Structure formats: structure tokens, C-alpha cells
Amino acid sequence: MNATDRKLPSSSLREFRERLPKKPYFTDQLGDYLRIHRAEMALRARYIQFNGPTHMHWLIFDIDRPGAALDWEDRRVPPPNFTVQNPANGHAHLAYGLATPVRTAPDGRIAPLRYAAAVQDALCSSLGADRGYTGFLCKNPFSSYWRTAEWEPRLYELGDFEGWLDLSAKPRQAANSNAYGLGRNCTLFEKLRQWAYKAIRQGWPDADRWQQAVLERAAAYNSFDQPLNTNEVRAIARSVAKYTHRNFNPAGFSAVQAQRGRKGGAAKGASYAEKRAQALALLDAGAKRYEVAEQLGVALKTVSRWKKGQ
């Protein structure tokens, strides 16, 4: 019987093994060349990739202080599903499993991603975890090199954390540079799409040139202290480029240009009419109502009223 089999009665550890990517990255020494193989092989290593490219199953935190596997209770946070501790110095990884995984692929809904980012950020602050941790590899809980302990066998729903954490606080990040964890995905997507809505109007490039332009802009925005990996940046850029090129075109903005050419009338009335025309053009081009409201600085109900009276 090997190390993984001995720990199978623990339900959260069983979930960890079963939810691993089919071919995770792994290594025995951080900083060494990463290998990739089927999960059965990767589970023999000291460090292993725990989330796949499309879903977040685990929130894992790196805590570099003695007693890290035990002092979470003193900090009044929910018990981790399990801890994986370095017996030499007491440093540990704390793992929280999500019963309903969060889709992190670009086609996923942004609201759950923002919610998960808020939970992740609040837990990181409460635990005093390392914000420089990339969240890609963790100490393998099935490796005999570490000391593994389970504290909570059942996985969490995101809503379970609300009773423990203050999710109203803004994420601890400096402007454009220190976004942490999932917050980086949200920040990059929001900045990139807002840029793209305006930039595509400057020449209406073909699909290939537009894809390259969006990718270059995404790479420039990926200036976090711990940048997203290349595949994540490419996926977000591809999603934004595809959507804007498909839904934004010169014809969709003809009403806006015509309205801007009109003169006369009260300045306030002209401004209102221009925004209404621009909103209708954006809606016709495929933009969502909340996106139009955000871009034009008007209330969502105003956009809905304009659309209804079109």
C-alpha cells in the first residue's frame, strides 16, 4: 500500500486526488525544470499542480512561519480542509476545497470569479499568507516528505465563508501592480475589454491584426507583481478580441457619428441625445446593457428605457 492509498479514507484528500488535472505539472525541487505526466506519476513528487486551466477547485495559501499549520484557529478563519507542513521549519500550505468549482476560463461568468477573488483575498489577509505565492504548485499532501493533516473533510461553497470573513473590504492591491490571485484575472479582463471597446474603432482592423493588437495590450497590462502565465493572458486576449471583432463594426457606430455631426439645441439636450444614440449603436453591435451603462456613465435603467423606446 503506497502513501496515497493510506490517506484515501480522508474525504477532502480523496477529492484532491480525484480533481487533479489529468496531466499535472510536478517537481521535487522548486526552481527546477517542471515535468508533466499523468496524475499517478505526478503524485510521487513533492510539489504538484492542483488546479487545471479551466476551473479552480482549490484555494491554497502559502504561510511561511512556524506553526502555520495550527495558528489558523487563533486567527478566527474557517478550518482548512487540510494542511501540508514542512517538518523542518513549520511552514505550510493550507488548502480550502470548493464544492462548486469556479470556472476561470475566459468564457466563464465574471461575477462568480469576482466573488471567489474576494474570498481568496480576504482569506489571504486573515491568514497572513504570502501574496507572492503564484498558486500554481503546492506541497503534495500525499508525499511522505511533508506532514499532512486533515481538519475539515467537507468541501466549502463560496457562501460558507461569509460568516467568517469581511468581504466588503476592497482587495489589498496597489493600482495596476499588486493584484493577487484571481483578482489578476478580473483586473486584466476588465481593463482589456474597456480598452478594446474604444480601440477597435481606430481603423477597424482585420481579425488577425486585431487579435495581435489585443494580445500585445494584454501583455502590457499583465504587470502584476506576480504576472499571470502566458497561457492565461493569451486566453483572455483571445476571448476579448473575438467578441469585439464579431460585435463591433463601422455600421454599428454610424448612428453615433451622425449624431455627433448635428448641431444646435441646448448643450444638455444634445449631450443626452448623443449618449442615447451611442447606447443604441452599442446595443445593436452586441454589447450588454450593463457594459453600455458603464462605458457611457449612465444608469442601467436609463439604458433599458432607451432600448425599450427604440
Side-chain angles (χ1 to χ4, degrees):
M1 181 179 291
N2 59 34
T4 57
D5 293 330
R6 286 199 299 270
K7 293 174 180 175
L8 282 183
S10 168
S11 59
S12 65
L13 286 168
R14 184 172 60 248
E15 288 285 349
F16 180 88
R17 194 185 75 166
E18 292 177 353
R19 291 177 167 207
L20 285 172
K22 290 183 179 180
K23 290 186 176 181
Y25 286 94
F26 62 96
T27 185
D28 279 325
Q29 184 65 44
L30 294 179
D32 283 359
Y33 177 75
L34 291 180
R35 292 174 287 168
I36 184 170
H37 211 291
R38 65 183 186 276
E40 291 80 0
M41 177 70 72
L43 279 166
R44 301 175 187 176
R46 294 179 185 177
Y47 298 91
I48 192 168
Q49 176 190 0
F50 52 93
N51 284 319
T54 62
H55 288 82
M56 174 167 278
H57 294 273
W58 298 93
L59 298 172
I60 294 187
F61 302 91
D62 182 31
I63 303 179
D64 296 329
R65 60 175 180 270
L70 300 172
D71 68 2
W72 51 266
E73 190 169 14
D74 297 332
R75 293 170 175 267
R76 298 182 180 180
V77 296
N81 289 106
F82 59 85
T83 56
V84 190
Q85 185 182 43
N86 184 343
N89 57 20
H91 299 182
H93 281 168
L94 275 63
Y96 292 85
L98 301 180
T100 304
V102 176
R103 185 162 178 80
T104 54
D107 61 348
R109 295 172 54 224
I110 192 66
L113 193 62
R114 285 175 177 156
Y115 188 28
V119 169
Q120 184 185 48
D121 188 86
L123 266 174
C124 182
S125 295
S126 297
L127 289 168
D130 179 11
R131 287 181 174 270
Y133 173 54
T134 62
F136 183 61
L137 299 178
C138 73
K139 293 180 174 68
N140 178 8
F142 293 109
S143 171
S144 60
Y145 189 80
W146 314 116
R147 182 184 297 132
T148 299
E150 183 185 48
W151 305 94
E152 174 54 62
R154 295 177 300 176
L155 303 186
Y156 289 91
E157 296 290 352
L158 284 175
D160 296 338
F161 295 101
E162 289 201 8
W164 298 82
L165 305 170
D166 180 12
L167 301 182
S168 63
K170 292 184 178 180
R172 254 188 66 189
Q173 51 181 277
N176 304 326
S177 61
N178 291 325
Y180 163 74
L182 282 174
R184 297 170 301 172
N185 301 68
C186 297
T187 299
L188 180 59
F189 178 78
E190 289 297 320
K191 289 182 66 176
L192 190 61
R193 72 175 184 84
Q194 290 174 17
W195 170 83
Y197 290 166
K198 298 178 181 178
I200 195 171
R201 290 176 255 176
Q202 300 177 13
W204 305 102
D206 60 50
D208 290 341
R209 287 195 298 123
W210 179 238
Q211 172 72 53
Q212 184 61 34
V214 176
L215 178 58
E216 290 174 0
R217 178 64 57 160
Y221 284 158
N222 187 33
S223 57
F224 309 111
D225 286 351
Q226 294 294 330
L228 293 169
N229 65 54
T230 301
N231 288 338
E232 288 179 292
V233 175
R234 285 185 178 276
I236 293 172
R238 189 182 306 116
S239 175
V240 171
K242 183 178 179 180
Y243 174 83
T244 49
H245 197 272
R246 183 179 65 244
N247 294 291
F248 287 62
N249 52 70
F253 287 92
S254 60
V256 176
Q257 299 303 321
Q259 180 62 33
R260 284 176 177 171
R262 295 172 187 160
K263 295 182 179 180
K268 183 177 180 180
S271 176
Y272 180 90
E274 181 177 338
K275 283 190 175 183
R276 180 179 181 278
Q278 189 172 359
L280 294 177
L282 287 167
L283 292 170
D284 289 342
K288 303 296 184 183
R289 296 187 187 188
Y290 74 88
E291 294 173 341
V292 174
E294 181 178 339
Q295 183 172 342
L296 299 181
V298 298
L300 179 60
K301 63 181 181 181
T302 300
V303 177
S304 299
R305 186 172 67 251
W306 287 341
K307 178 64 176 176
K308 185 177 180 181
Q310 187 177 23

